[in-house]
Amino acid sequence: MDNNKVVNMERSNDKFQWKKYMRSGIAIIAFLILVIFAISNVFIVKENEYKVIRQFGEVVRIIEEPGLNYKIPFIQSAESLPKYKMTYDVEEAEINTKDKKRILIDNYAVWRIEDPKKMIANARNVVNAEAKMSEFIFSTVRSELGKLNYDEIINDEKSSRGSINDQVTAIVNDLLEKNNYGIVVIDVRMKRTDLPEENEKSVYTRMISERESKAQEYLSMGDAEKNRIIAETDRQVTEMLAIADAEANKIRGEGEEAAAKIYNEAYSKDANFYSLFRTLESYKKTIDEETVLIIPFDSPYAQILMGE
């Protein structure tokens, strides 16, 4: 009888311990589930994004500051929107210029979300916002380039593309603001402007003709400048030669005057010697190795040669 009681007590203790472990295990599992559930509803807002909190599909909160945040489980959901600048390639399109010519344009835009609540309310998502922005850009570019002639767009010397880009950016931002899309365009740029294939040949021919005409104009201006410089140089050279000739004649006259003075002084000192000297000087100019002289007996030459 006593042995049976001992066995029953041991079995009761084992059963009690097992139930205790079961309750502890369930509590731990429940706690872990609760922690995981809580963590799954905690989220981090990054510096380059907005967090949009929805409750039953409606936007109830927009978080802009980075940090740790929490949403109500099952009731609220969180989605991210980019806060950084984005680039959007506008689809290539064909437009008509003021003079009824066709041209292909290819644009891109740099933009960002400024007011995510307005953007969601009116565009719903980024894709729709880009589509609406693209529509405004195309209509504005078509309108602005439609005010210019074909040559003003394709000719670099007449191009106004820099100012057109700024005008398009300002107009598109006005349209987006009026429609409360909550986005802002930072810059709109034309990557390229191409011509339809059927117009390329005629345009290139005209451009070549214009360049040749301009080159001929530059050549004519160069020739005119060259002729002006040559004429000016010739004038200066003529003036310099005239001045040099006048100076040379002046010096020559002064030399001849000095020589005559010296001759006169020499003649006055010894007339016979001077006559002999002048006669001998004349021999240098009139007599050479092949000269045959036939002179009268009483000529000064004959007398000097004969020692008289």
Side-chain angles (χ1 to χ4, degrees):
M1 186 70 178
D2 292 337
N3 292 333
N4 290 333
K5 288 181 179 181
V6 172
V7 172
N8 289 334
M9 287 296 293
E10 290 177 351
R11 290 181 177 176
S12 296
N13 289 334
D14 292 341
K15 187 176 182 180
F16 175 76
Q17 291 293 333
W18 182 81
K19 288 181 178 180
K20 183 179 178 181
Y21 292 148
M22 284 291 293
R23 284 196 298 269
S24 299
I26 292 171
I28 292 172
I29 293 171
F31 176 76
L32 291 175
I33 292 173
L34 182 62
V35 170
I36 293 171
F37 182 75
I39 292 175
S40 66
N41 287 281
V42 175
F43 59 89
I44 297 174
V45 181
K46 299 178 181 178
E47 291 185 359
N48 61 351
E49 68 178 3
Y50 300 102
K51 278 293 184 182
V52 180
I53 307 301
R54 293 180 182 269
Q55 185 169 311
F56 303 116
E58 296 295 328
V59 177
V60 294
R61 187 161 51 116
I62 295 177
I63 305 172
E64 299 184 14
E65 296 299 324
L68 193 64
N69 287 272
Y70 182 82
K71 63 182 179 66
I72 301 173
F74 302 115
I75 297 176
Q76 293 181 341
S77 62
E79 64 180 75
S80 298
L81 287 177
K83 187 187 288 187
Y84 51 82
K85 296 177 183 179
M86 294 169 281
T87 302
Y88 179 75
D89 282 324
V90 182
E91 186 176 354
E92 183 181 278
E94 186 176 294
I95 66 168
N96 292 323
T97 61
K98 183 179 179 181
D99 51 353
K100 308 304 179 185
K101 301 290 180 62
R102 291 185 301 165
I103 190 170
L104 297 174
I105 58 170
D106 189 7
N107 304 317
Y108 75 91
V110 179
W111 70 287
R112 63 180 174 84
I113 299 173
E114 189 175 56
D115 189 330
K117 192 169 184 178
K118 288 183 179 180
M119 194 276 289
I120 293 171
N122 295 284
R124 300 187 66 83
N125 54 48
V126 172
V127 174
N128 291 339
E130 288 181 331
K132 183 55 66 175
M133 178 182 63
S134 175
E135 181 181 321
F136 286 155
I137 291 173
F138 171 71
S139 63
T140 303
V141 170
R142 181 177 60 184
S143 174
E144 293 302 311
L145 292 185
K147 299 175 184 177
L148 299 175
N149 289 325
Y150 191 70
D151 291 340
E152 292 178 302
I153 298 173
I154 64 172
N155 193 326
D156 291 337
E157 295 180 358
K158 301 178 182 179
S159 176
S160 303
R161 287 176 61 169
S163 60
I164 288 179
N165 290 329
D166 296 337
Q167 293 171 16
V168 170
T169 301
I171 294 171
V172 170
N173 278 325
D174 286 341
L175 293 171
L176 291 170
E177 185 178 358
K178 288 178 182 178
N179 289 273
N180 292 318
Y181 280 107
I183 64 175
V184 61
V185 175
I186 298 169
D187 196 13
V188 176
R189 291 286 158 182
M190 278 183 270
K191 293 191 293 185
R192 59 192 177 97
T193 53
D194 290 336
L195 306 171
E197 293 183 2
E198 59 270 22
N199 292 345
E200 284 187 355
K201 186 175 181 180
S202 61
V203 171
Y204 289 156
T205 301
R206 183 165 65 252
M207 289 177 67
I208 291 172
S209 177
E210 289 177 357
R211 292 299 183 272
E212 289 178 347
S213 176
K214 182 63 69 174
Q216 188 59 45
E217 180 182 346
Y218 290 150
L219 288 173
S220 298
M221 292 171 62
D223 288 340
E225 183 67 13
K226 181 190 74 173
N227 293 333
R228 186 191 68 78
I229 293 172
I230 291 175
E232 179 66 17
T233 303
D234 290 343
R235 183 187 66 77
Q236 293 179 2
V237 169
T238 301
E239 289 180 358
M240 292 172 65
L241 290 174
I243 293 171
D245 286 342
E247 188 68 20
N249 291 331
K250 179 182 177 182
I251 294 172
R252 190 180 299 111
E254 291 175 352
E256 290 177 352
E257 181 181 355
K261 184 178 180 181
I262 293 171
Y263 289 153
N264 291 333
E265 290 177 354
Y267 183 77
S268 63
K269 290 181 178 180
D270 192 339
N272 292 329
F273 175 77
Y274 180 73
S275 176
L276 173 63
F277 176 76
R278 295 288 292 175
T279 301
L280 293 175
E281 283 293 319
S282 67
Y283 287 169
K284 293 180 182 180
K285 299 179 180 180
T286 58
I287 300 173
D288 57 22
E289 295 177 356
E290 298 180 357
T291 302
V292 177
L293 292 177
I294 299 175
I295 56 177
F297 180 77
D298 57 351
S299 67
Y301 281 177
Q303 294 176 3
I304 292 173
L305 292 175
M306 293 175 66
E308 295 182 1

Short mmCIF file of all heavy atoms in Angstrom, two decimals, residues 274-307:
data_model
loop_
_atom_site.label_atom_id
_atom_site.label_comp_id
_atom_site.label_asym_id
_atom_site.label_seq_id
_atom_site.Cartn_x
_atom_site.Cartn_y
_atom_site.Cartn_z
N TYR A 274 99.09 122.30 -110.35
CA TYR A 274 97.66 121.98 -110.41
C TYR A 274 97.27 121.61 -111.82
O TYR A 274 96.50 120.65 -112.03
CB TYR A 274 96.84 123.17 -109.92
CG TYR A 274 95.35 122.91 -109.94
CD1 TYR A 274 94.77 122.07 -108.99
CD2 TYR A 274 94.55 123.49 -110.93
CE1 TYR A 274 93.43 121.82 -109.02
CE2 TYR A 274 93.19 123.22 -110.96
CZ TYR A 274 92.62 122.40 -110.00
OH TYR A 274 91.28 122.14 -110.03
N SER A 275 97.83 122.32 -112.83
CA SER A 275 97.53 122.00 -114.23
C SER A 275 98.05 120.63 -114.57
O SER A 275 97.37 119.83 -115.26
CB SER A 275 98.15 123.07 -115.14
OG SER A 275 97.97 122.75 -116.49
N LEU A 276 99.28 120.29 -114.07
CA LEU A 276 99.83 118.97 -114.32
C LEU A 276 98.96 117.88 -113.67
O LEU A 276 98.68 116.85 -114.29
CB LEU A 276 101.26 118.90 -113.78
CG LEU A 276 101.93 117.53 -113.82
CD1 LEU A 276 102.08 117.05 -115.27
CD2 LEU A 276 103.30 117.58 -113.12
N PHE A 277 98.56 118.13 -112.45
CA PHE A 277 97.73 117.14 -111.72
C PHE A 277 96.41 116.89 -112.44
O PHE A 277 95.97 115.74 -112.60
CB PHE A 277 97.48 117.64 -110.29
CG PHE A 277 96.56 116.76 -109.49
CD1 PHE A 277 97.02 115.55 -108.96
CD2 PHE A 277 95.24 117.12 -109.28
CE1 PHE A 277 96.18 114.75 -108.24
CE2 PHE A 277 94.40 116.30 -108.58
CZ PHE A 277 94.85 115.10 -108.04
N ARG A 278 95.77 117.97 -112.90
CA ARG A 278 94.48 117.82 -113.59
C ARG A 278 94.66 117.07 -114.90
O ARG A 278 93.83 116.25 -115.28
CB ARG A 278 93.88 119.21 -113.86
CG ARG A 278 93.52 119.96 -112.60
CD ARG A 278 92.31 119.38 -111.92
NE ARG A 278 91.12 119.60 -112.70
CZ ARG A 278 89.91 119.12 -112.43
NH1 ARG A 278 89.77 118.35 -111.33
NH2 ARG A 278 88.89 119.39 -113.18
N THR A 279 95.82 117.35 -115.59
CA THR A 279 96.07 116.67 -116.85
C THR A 279 96.28 115.17 -116.61
O THR A 279 95.75 114.31 -117.32
CB THR A 279 97.30 117.26 -117.55
OG1 THR A 279 97.08 118.66 -117.77
CG2 THR A 279 97.56 116.57 -118.87
N LEU A 280 97.09 114.82 -115.60
CA LEU A 280 97.32 113.42 -115.28
C LEU A 280 96.03 112.70 -114.85
O LEU A 280 95.81 111.53 -115.17
CB LEU A 280 98.37 113.29 -114.16
CG LEU A 280 99.78 113.74 -114.54
CD1 LEU A 280 100.71 113.70 -113.33
CD2 LEU A 280 100.33 112.88 -115.68
N GLU A 281 95.20 113.40 -114.13
CA GLU A 281 93.91 112.81 -113.72
C GLU A 281 93.04 112.50 -114.92
O GLU A 281 92.34 111.49 -114.98
CB GLU A 281 93.16 113.78 -112.79
CG GLU A 281 93.70 113.82 -111.37
CD GLU A 281 93.45 112.51 -110.63
OE1 GLU A 281 92.36 111.92 -110.77
OE2 GLU A 281 94.38 112.04 -109.96
N SER A 282 93.16 113.39 -115.94
CA SER A 282 92.35 113.15 -117.15
C SER A 282 92.88 111.95 -117.92
O SER A 282 92.11 111.26 -118.61
CB SER A 282 92.34 114.41 -118.03
OG SER A 282 93.64 114.66 -118.56
N TYR A 283 94.19 111.65 -117.80
CA TYR A 283 94.75 110.47 -118.46
C TYR A 283 94.08 109.18 -117.92
O TYR A 283 93.86 108.22 -118.68
CB TYR A 283 96.25 110.40 -118.23
CG TYR A 283 97.08 111.42 -119.00
CD1 TYR A 283 98.44 111.62 -118.70
CD2 TYR A 283 96.50 112.18 -120.03
CE1 TYR A 283 99.19 112.55 -119.39
CE2 TYR A 283 97.26 113.11 -120.72
CZ TYR A 283 98.58 113.30 -120.39
OH TYR A 283 99.32 114.22 -121.06
N LYS A 284 93.81 109.15 -116.62
CA LYS A 284 93.19 107.96 -116.03
C LYS A 284 91.84 107.64 -116.67
O LYS A 284 91.46 106.48 -116.78
CB LYS A 284 92.99 108.16 -114.53
CG LYS A 284 94.27 108.24 -113.73
CD LYS A 284 93.95 108.45 -112.26
CE LYS A 284 95.22 108.58 -111.43
NZ LYS A 284 94.90 108.79 -109.99
N LYS A 285 91.16 108.64 -117.11
CA LYS A 285 89.83 108.45 -117.66
C LYS A 285 89.83 108.24 -119.17
O LYS A 285 88.86 107.73 -119.73
CB LYS A 285 88.94 109.64 -117.31
CG LYS A 285 88.77 109.82 -115.81
CD LYS A 285 87.90 111.03 -115.51
CE LYS A 285 87.73 111.22 -114.01
NZ LYS A 285 86.89 112.40 -113.67
N THR A 286 90.92 108.70 -119.85
CA THR A 286 90.89 108.67 -121.31
C THR A 286 91.87 107.67 -121.92
O THR A 286 91.74 107.30 -123.08
CB THR A 286 91.22 110.06 -121.87
OG1 THR A 286 92.50 110.46 -121.38
CG2 THR A 286 90.17 111.05 -121.46
N ILE A 287 92.89 107.19 -121.17
CA ILE A 287 93.92 106.34 -121.75
C ILE A 287 93.95 105.01 -121.02
O ILE A 287 93.94 104.96 -119.78
CB ILE A 287 95.30 107.00 -121.66
CG1 ILE A 287 95.30 108.34 -122.42
CG2 ILE A 287 96.38 106.09 -122.20
CD1 ILE A 287 96.57 109.13 -122.24
N ASP A 288 93.98 103.91 -121.80
CA ASP A 288 94.21 102.58 -121.25
C ASP A 288 95.28 101.88 -122.07
O ASP A 288 95.94 102.52 -122.90
CB ASP A 288 92.91 101.78 -121.20
CG ASP A 288 92.27 101.66 -122.57
OD1 ASP A 288 92.98 101.82 -123.59
OD2 ASP A 288 91.03 101.40 -122.65
N GLU A 289 95.46 100.53 -121.89
CA GLU A 289 96.54 99.81 -122.55
C GLU A 289 96.37 99.76 -124.07
O GLU A 289 97.34 99.61 -124.80
CB GLU A 289 96.62 98.39 -121.99
CG GLU A 289 97.01 98.34 -120.52
CD GLU A 289 97.01 96.93 -119.99
OE1 GLU A 289 96.63 96.02 -120.76
OE2 GLU A 289 97.40 96.71 -118.82
N GLU A 290 95.19 99.86 -124.57
CA GLU A 290 94.94 99.73 -126.00
C GLU A 290 94.72 101.08 -126.67
O GLU A 290 94.38 101.15 -127.85
CB GLU A 290 93.72 98.82 -126.24
CG GLU A 290 93.92 97.41 -125.70
CD GLU A 290 92.68 96.54 -125.95
OE1 GLU A 290 91.69 97.10 -126.47
OE2 GLU A 290 92.72 95.36 -125.62
N THR A 291 94.88 102.14 -125.92
CA THR A 291 94.60 103.47 -126.47
C THR A 291 95.75 103.93 -127.36
O THR A 291 96.92 103.80 -127.00
CB THR A 291 94.38 104.49 -125.35
OG1 THR A 291 93.30 104.04 -124.52
CG2 THR A 291 94.05 105.86 -125.92
N VAL A 292 95.38 104.45 -128.54
CA VAL A 292 96.37 105.04 -129.48
C VAL A 292 96.07 106.54 -129.56
O VAL A 292 94.96 106.92 -129.93
CB VAL A 292 96.28 104.41 -130.87
CG1 VAL A 292 97.27 105.10 -131.81
CG2 VAL A 292 96.57 102.93 -130.78
N LEU A 293 97.05 107.35 -129.18
CA LEU A 293 96.83 108.79 -129.15
C LEU A 293 97.48 109.46 -130.36
O LEU A 293 98.64 109.19 -130.67
CB LEU A 293 97.41 109.39 -127.87
CG LEU A 293 96.72 109.00 -126.55
CD1 LEU A 293 97.46 109.62 -125.38
CD2 LEU A 293 95.28 109.45 -126.56
N ILE A 294 96.73 110.25 -130.99
CA ILE A 294 97.28 111.11 -132.07
C ILE A 294 97.01 112.54 -131.63
O ILE A 294 95.86 113.00 -131.63
CB ILE A 294 96.61 110.82 -133.41
CG1 ILE A 294 96.85 109.35 -133.81
CG2 ILE A 294 97.12 111.77 -134.48
CD1 ILE A 294 96.11 108.95 -135.08
N ILE A 295 98.05 113.21 -131.22
CA ILE A 295 97.85 114.54 -130.64
C ILE A 295 98.80 115.51 -131.36
O ILE A 295 99.86 115.14 -131.85
CB ILE A 295 98.13 114.53 -129.14
CG1 ILE A 295 99.54 114.01 -128.84
CG2 ILE A 295 97.09 113.69 -128.39
CD1 ILE A 295 99.89 114.04 -127.36
N PRO A 296 98.38 116.76 -131.42
CA PRO A 296 99.27 117.78 -132.02
C PRO A 296 100.55 117.93 -131.21
O PRO A 296 100.56 117.65 -129.99
CB PRO A 296 98.42 119.05 -131.98
CG PRO A 296 97.00 118.57 -131.81
CD PRO A 296 97.09 117.30 -131.04
N PHE A 297 101.54 118.39 -131.86
CA PHE A 297 102.85 118.54 -131.22
C PHE A 297 102.83 119.58 -130.13
O PHE A 297 103.54 119.45 -129.14
CB PHE A 297 103.90 118.91 -132.32
CG PHE A 297 105.27 119.10 -131.77
CD1 PHE A 297 106.05 117.99 -131.43
CD2 PHE A 297 105.79 120.39 -131.57
CE1 PHE A 297 107.31 118.20 -130.91
CE2 PHE A 297 107.06 120.56 -131.05
CZ PHE A 297 107.83 119.46 -130.71
N ASP A 298 101.99 120.59 -130.32
CA ASP A 298 101.98 121.68 -129.36
C ASP A 298 100.87 121.56 -128.30
O ASP A 298 100.57 122.50 -127.58
CB ASP A 298 101.83 123.02 -130.09
CG ASP A 298 100.59 123.05 -130.95
OD1 ASP A 298 99.95 121.97 -131.11
OD2 ASP A 298 100.23 124.14 -131.44
N SER A 299 100.27 120.37 -128.21
CA SER A 299 99.19 120.20 -127.23
C SER A 299 99.78 120.02 -125.84
O SER A 299 100.93 119.62 -125.69
CB SER A 299 98.34 118.98 -127.58
OG SER A 299 99.11 117.80 -127.42
N PRO A 300 99.03 120.33 -124.82
CA PRO A 300 99.55 120.16 -123.44
C PRO A 300 99.99 118.73 -123.14
O PRO A 300 100.99 118.53 -122.47
CB PRO A 300 98.37 120.56 -122.57
CG PRO A 300 97.58 121.50 -123.43
CD PRO A 300 97.71 120.97 -124.82
N TYR A 301 99.23 117.75 -123.66
CA TYR A 301 99.62 116.35 -123.47
C TYR A 301 101.01 116.09 -124.01
O TYR A 301 101.85 115.46 -123.34
CB TYR A 301 98.62 115.42 -124.16
CG TYR A 301 97.32 115.22 -123.37
CD1 TYR A 301 96.31 114.45 -123.90
CD2 TYR A 301 97.17 115.77 -122.11
CE1 TYR A 301 95.14 114.24 -123.24
CE2 TYR A 301 96.00 115.57 -121.42
CZ TYR A 301 94.98 114.83 -121.98
OH TYR A 301 93.83 114.63 -121.31
N ALA A 302 101.22 116.55 -125.28
CA ALA A 302 102.51 116.29 -125.94
C ALA A 302 103.65 117.00 -125.21
O ALA A 302 104.74 116.44 -125.02
CB ALA A 302 102.44 116.74 -127.39
N GLN A 303 103.42 118.19 -124.79
CA GLN A 303 104.45 118.90 -124.08
C GLN A 303 104.83 118.22 -122.77
O GLN A 303 105.99 118.14 -122.41
CB GLN A 303 103.97 120.35 -123.80
CG GLN A 303 103.81 121.16 -125.09
CD GLN A 303 103.25 122.54 -124.82
OE1 GLN A 303 103.03 122.91 -123.66
NE2 GLN A 303 103.01 123.33 -125.90
N ILE A 304 103.83 117.71 -122.02
CA ILE A 304 104.13 117.04 -120.75
C ILE A 304 104.88 115.74 -121.01
O ILE A 304 105.86 115.42 -120.32
CB ILE A 304 102.84 116.77 -119.97
CG1 ILE A 304 102.23 118.08 -119.49
CG2 ILE A 304 103.12 115.86 -118.77
CD1 ILE A 304 100.89 117.95 -118.87
N LEU A 305 104.43 114.97 -122.05
CA LEU A 305 105.09 113.72 -122.37
C LEU A 305 106.54 113.94 -122.85
O LEU A 305 107.42 113.11 -122.59
CB LEU A 305 104.30 112.97 -123.45
CG LEU A 305 102.94 112.43 -123.00
CD1 LEU A 305 102.20 111.82 -124.19
CD2 LEU A 305 103.10 111.37 -121.91
N MET A 306 106.76 115.08 -123.44
CA MET A 306 108.09 115.37 -123.95
C MET A 306 108.92 116.07 -122.88
O MET A 306 110.11 116.35 -123.09
CB MET A 306 108.01 116.24 -125.21
CG MET A 306 107.35 115.49 -126.40
SD MET A 306 107.12 116.56 -127.81
CE MET A 306 108.84 116.89 -128.25
N GLY A 307 108.33 116.31 -121.73
CA GLY A 307 109.07 116.91 -120.62
C GLY A 307 109.27 118.40 -120.75
O GLY A 307 110.17 118.95 -120.15
#
